[in-house]
Amino acid sequence: MTRVSGASDLDGTLARLGQAVRARRVAHSVSQEALADLAGIDRSHMGKIERGERNVTFLNIVRIAVALNCKPSDLLSEAGL
Amino acid sequence: MTRVSGASDLDGTLARLGQAVRARRVAHSVSQEALADLAGIDRSHMGKIERGERNVTFLNIVRIAVALNCKPSDLLSEAGL
């Protein structure tokens, strides 16, 4: 078991997840706006997710994965998380 | 690309994630309260996460995974997600 300190570099994980979302979106030749619409997520919120500026909820990760035709665990694995 | 409808069974994914957290916690012989303390998550919130009653944030998934000595993608894979 590992105690999670407040100083953990947790914020870096948001950026890595966002980069994985962007990479898979670009690989599918989909615009950020189109992905947001497909996933049912606000467009400006999607931009913040891709830039790692928002603590995305699990259900939004699931929505993004469904829209990108992959599993949520695929996105995390691609982010090295 | 797949459009995510509001009728998608997204809520079922929260229950599956919660079950995976609980299974790994029990395998480590850790109480729910101890895991909450290790992860720095409110104890009652941890109970709701395990029961799939709350849309957990990504950073809390990361905190739980760190506390359980695994990757966030491991938890999702174990949940079949």
Side-chain angles (χ1 to χ4, degrees):
Chain A
M1 301 297 96
T2 304
R3 181 167 296 279
V4 182
S5 84
S8 293
D9 179 23
L10 292 175
D11 286 345
T13 64
L14 291 174
R16 286 157 70 187
L17 178 64
Q19 286 158 9
V21 169
R22 178 167 296 181
R24 189 173 268 269
R25 170 177 67 72
V26 170
H28 281 78
S29 301
V30 182
S31 71
Q32 192 177 88
E33 293 72 19
L35 175 59
D37 292 349
L38 284 167
I41 294 174
D42 178 79
R43 291 181 178 193
S44 74
H45 188 59
M46 181 65 80
K48 288 169 184 165
I49 291 172
E50 284 199 357
R51 294 191 297 277
E53 295 172 1
R54 280 294 180 282
N55 187 4
V56 58
T57 64
F58 179 63
L59 287 183
N60 275 347
I61 295 174
V62 173
R63 289 186 181 97
I64 292 168
V66 170
L68 290 172
N69 295 326
C70 68
K71 291 182 170 185
S73 57
D74 292 336
L75 284 176
L76 270 59
S77 294
E78 287 161 15
L81 298 169
Chain B
M1 300 297 96
T2 305
R3 182 167 294 279
V4 181
S5 83
S8 294
D9 179 23
L10 292 176
D11 285 347
T13 64
L14 291 175
R16 286 157 70 187
L17 179 63
Q19 285 158 10
V21 170
R22 178 167 295 182
R24 189 174 267 268
R25 171 177 66 72
V26 170
H28 281 79
S29 303
V30 181
S31 71
Q32 192 178 88
E33 293 74 19
L35 176 58
D37 292 348
L38 285 166
I41 295 174
D42 177 80
R43 290 182 178 193
S44 73
H45 189 60
M46 181 64 80
K48 288 168 184 165
I49 291 171
E50 285 199 358
R51 294 192 297 277
E53 295 172 3
R54 281 295 180 283
N55 186 3
V56 58
T57 65
F58 178 62
L59 288 184
N60 274 347
I61 294 174
V62 173
R63 289 186 182 98
I64 292 168
V66 170
L68 290 172
N69 295 325
C70 68
K71 290 182 170 186
S73 57
D74 292 335
L75 283 176
L76 271 60
S77 294
E78 288 161 14
L81 298 169

